[in-house]
Amino acid sequence: MGRELGKGMARPGDMLFGRRTWQDFVTAWGRSTDGNPFTAHMNAATKYVVSRSLEDADAWRNSILLRGDAADTVAGLKAQPGNDLSIIGSASLVRSLHAAGLIDRYTLLIHPLTLGSGSRLFEGPAPLTEFELIGSVTTGKGVIIADYIRR
Protein backbone atom coordinates (compact mmCIF):
# COMPACT_ATOMS: atom_id res chain seq x y z
CA MET A 1 0.00 0.00 0.00
CA GLY A 2 2.83 2.37 0.85
CA ARG A 3 4.46 1.76 -2.52
CA GLU A 4 1.24 2.52 -4.41
CA LEU A 5 0.49 5.64 -2.38
CA GLY A 6 4.09 6.74 -2.87
CA LYS A 7 3.53 6.76 -6.63
CA GLY A 8 0.81 9.37 -6.17
CA MET A 9 2.97 11.44 -3.89
CA ALA A 10 5.82 11.34 -6.40
CA ARG A 11 3.73 13.48 -8.77
CA PRO A 12 3.93 17.23 -8.18
CA GLY A 13 0.86 18.62 -6.51
CA ASP A 14 -0.60 20.65 -3.71
CA MET A 15 -2.80 19.40 -0.90
CA LEU A 16 -6.27 20.49 0.16
CA PHE A 17 -7.60 19.91 3.68
CA GLY A 18 -10.64 20.60 5.77
CA ARG A 19 -9.90 22.18 9.15
CA ARG A 20 -10.25 19.09 11.31
CA THR A 21 -8.10 16.83 9.11
CA TRP A 22 -5.47 19.57 8.76
CA GLN A 23 -5.31 19.95 12.56
CA ASP A 24 -4.94 16.16 12.97
CA PHE A 25 -2.19 16.07 10.33
CA VAL A 26 -0.30 18.96 11.94
CA THR A 27 0.01 16.81 15.05
CA ALA A 28 0.94 13.61 13.21
CA TRP A 29 3.10 14.93 10.36
CA GLY A 30 3.82 18.62 10.80
CA ARG A 31 6.28 18.16 13.64
CA SER A 32 7.76 14.86 12.46
CA THR A 33 11.36 14.52 11.33
CA ASP A 34 11.30 10.72 11.01
CA GLY A 35 12.80 10.44 7.51
CA ASN A 36 9.58 8.89 6.17
CA PRO A 37 9.18 9.96 2.50
CA PHE A 38 5.52 10.80 3.14
CA THR A 39 6.59 13.23 5.86
CA ALA A 40 9.01 14.98 3.53
CA HIS A 41 6.40 15.22 0.79
CA MET A 42 3.67 16.59 3.03
CA ASN A 43 5.92 19.07 4.77
CA ALA A 44 7.24 20.39 1.43
CA ALA A 45 3.84 20.57 -0.33
CA THR A 46 1.68 23.66 -0.35
CA LYS A 47 -1.27 22.88 1.90
CA TYR A 48 -4.56 24.75 1.42
CA VAL A 49 -6.86 24.64 4.45
CA VAL A 50 -10.54 25.37 3.90
CA SER A 51 -12.04 26.74 7.11
CA ARG A 52 -14.48 29.32 8.39
CA SER A 53 -13.32 29.02 12.00
CA LEU A 54 -9.53 28.58 11.89
CA GLU A 55 -7.74 31.83 12.70
CA ASP A 56 -4.50 31.05 10.87
CA ALA A 57 -2.58 28.17 9.31
CA ASP A 58 0.81 29.00 10.76
CA ALA A 59 1.16 25.74 12.71
CA TRP A 60 2.38 23.82 9.63
CA ARG A 61 4.77 25.33 7.14
CA ASN A 62 3.58 25.96 3.58
CA SER A 63 -0.05 26.09 4.74
CA ILE A 64 -2.44 28.67 3.32
CA LEU A 65 -5.82 29.38 4.90
CA LEU A 66 -8.79 29.58 2.52
CA ARG A 67 -11.74 31.31 4.16
CA GLY A 68 -15.35 31.27 3.04
CA ASP A 69 -17.57 28.78 1.28
CA ALA A 70 -15.58 25.67 0.37
CA ALA A 71 -17.05 25.22 -3.13
CA ASP A 72 -16.59 28.87 -4.09
CA THR A 73 -13.08 29.07 -2.65
CA VAL A 74 -11.87 25.85 -4.23
CA ALA A 75 -13.49 26.66 -7.58
CA GLY A 76 -11.49 29.91 -7.58
CA LEU A 77 -8.30 28.06 -6.69
CA LYS A 78 -8.85 25.46 -9.44
CA ALA A 79 -9.39 28.23 -11.99
CA GLN A 80 -5.88 29.54 -11.38
CA PRO A 81 -2.85 27.98 -13.06
CA GLY A 82 -0.89 25.68 -10.78
CA ASN A 83 -0.43 22.17 -9.50
CA ASP A 84 -3.11 19.52 -9.17
CA LEU A 85 -4.83 19.42 -5.79
CA SER A 86 -5.26 16.26 -3.72
CA ILE A 87 -7.40 15.69 -0.65
CA ILE A 88 -6.57 13.15 2.04
CA GLY A 89 -9.49 12.43 4.35
CA SER A 90 -11.62 15.54 4.93
CA ALA A 91 -14.88 13.69 4.19
CA SER A 92 -17.21 16.67 4.70
CA LEU A 93 -15.02 18.78 2.39
CA VAL A 94 -15.07 15.99 -0.21
CA ARG A 95 -18.88 15.84 0.02
CA SER A 96 -19.31 19.55 -0.57
CA LEU A 97 -16.79 19.63 -3.43
CA HIS A 98 -18.34 16.52 -5.01
CA ALA A 99 -21.81 18.11 -4.85
CA ALA A 100 -20.38 21.17 -6.63
CA GLY A 101 -18.77 18.99 -9.34
CA LEU A 102 -15.24 20.02 -8.34
CA ILE A 103 -13.59 16.62 -7.89
CA ASP A 104 -12.11 15.15 -11.05
CA ARG A 105 -10.50 11.99 -9.69
CA TYR A 106 -10.88 9.66 -6.72
CA THR A 107 -8.35 7.22 -5.32
CA LEU A 108 -10.31 5.00 -2.96
CA LEU A 109 -8.72 2.58 -0.51
CA ILE A 110 -11.20 -0.21 0.11
CA HIS A 111 -10.26 -2.19 3.20
CA PRO A 112 -11.57 -5.73 3.79
CA LEU A 113 -13.52 -4.98 6.97
CA THR A 114 -16.79 -3.52 8.18
CA LEU A 115 -17.04 -0.96 10.92
CA GLY A 116 -20.77 -1.11 11.58
CA SER A 117 -21.08 2.64 11.92
CA GLY A 118 -19.54 5.88 10.78
CA SER A 119 -20.21 8.45 8.12
CA ARG A 120 -20.60 7.62 4.46
CA LEU A 121 -18.38 9.31 1.93
CA PHE A 122 -21.30 9.99 -0.41
CA GLU A 123 -24.28 10.97 1.69
CA GLY A 124 -26.69 13.84 1.38
CA PRO A 125 -27.51 15.72 -1.79
CA ALA A 126 -25.12 15.13 -4.65
CA PRO A 127 -25.51 15.04 -8.40
CA LEU A 128 -25.54 11.75 -10.26
CA THR A 129 -21.92 11.32 -11.28
CA GLU A 130 -20.45 8.59 -13.42
CA PHE A 131 -16.86 7.50 -12.98
CA GLU A 132 -14.48 5.42 -15.05
CA LEU A 133 -12.07 3.02 -13.36
CA ILE A 134 -8.61 3.88 -14.71
CA GLY A 135 -6.57 1.54 -12.53
CA SER A 136 -6.62 -0.69 -9.49
CA VAL A 137 -4.19 -2.62 -7.35
CA THR A 138 -4.83 -5.14 -4.60
CA THR A 139 -2.29 -5.17 -1.77
CA GLY A 140 -1.02 -8.26 0.00
CA LYS A 141 -3.43 -7.54 2.88
CA GLY A 142 -6.42 -7.35 0.54
CA VAL A 143 -6.80 -3.57 0.34
CA ILE A 144 -8.06 -2.50 -3.08
CA ILE A 145 -6.66 0.82 -4.28
CA ALA A 146 -9.00 1.99 -7.04
CA ASP A 147 -8.49 5.09 -9.20
CA TYR A 148 -11.54 6.66 -10.83
CA ILE A 149 -11.96 9.73 -13.02
CA ARG A 150 -15.16 11.65 -13.61
CA ARG A 151 -16.77 10.84 -17.00
Side-chain angles (χ1 to χ4, degrees), residues 2-149:
R3 181 178 62 245
E4 290 301 316
L5 296 177
K7 289 177 186 176
M9 289 194 169
R11 293 188 297 266
D14 298 331
M15 302 179 80
L16 182 63
F17 290 96
R19 176 199 49 84
R20 188 172 57 205
T21 301
W22 180 83
Q23 288 175 319
D24 290 344
F25 273 51
V26 166
T27 303
W29 298 95
R31 297 180 181 101
S32 181
T33 57
D34 60 9
N36 179 325
F38 295 129
T39 303
H41 171 81
M42 287 196 283
N43 285 331
T46 299
K47 293 163 283 293
Y48 295 98
V49 187
V50 179
S51 176
R52 293 182 182 186
S53 61
L54 199 61
E55 293 195 21
D56 62 57
D58 298 338
W60 195 3
R61 76 172 182 228
N62 302 325
S63 294
I64 298 169
L65 181 60
L66 302 176
R67 295 189 184 276
D69 177 74
D72 292 339
T73 305
V74 173
L77 185 60
K78 282 186 67 168
Q80 298 174 14
N83 290 328
D84 287 342
L85 295 168
S86 64
I87 303 172
I88 299 175
S90 302
S92 64
L93 176 60
V94 168
R95 279 188 217 101
S96 66
L97 298 181
H98 174 77
L102 292 171
I103 297 183
D104 304 315
R105 178 181 174 151
Y106 285 92
T107 299
L108 302 178
L109 279 65
I110 305 162
H111 292 262
L113 60 89
T114 58
L115 297 175
S117 65
S119 63
R120 295 173 179 252
L121 181 57
F122 302 107
E123 67 182 4
L128 173 64
T129 307
E130 292 184 9
F131 297 96
E132 177 182 343
L133 180 67
I134 59 169
S136 65
V137 172
T138 303
T139 71
K141 300 231 183 221
V143 176
I144 299 170
I145 303 172
D147 288 309
Y148 294 93
I149 56 171

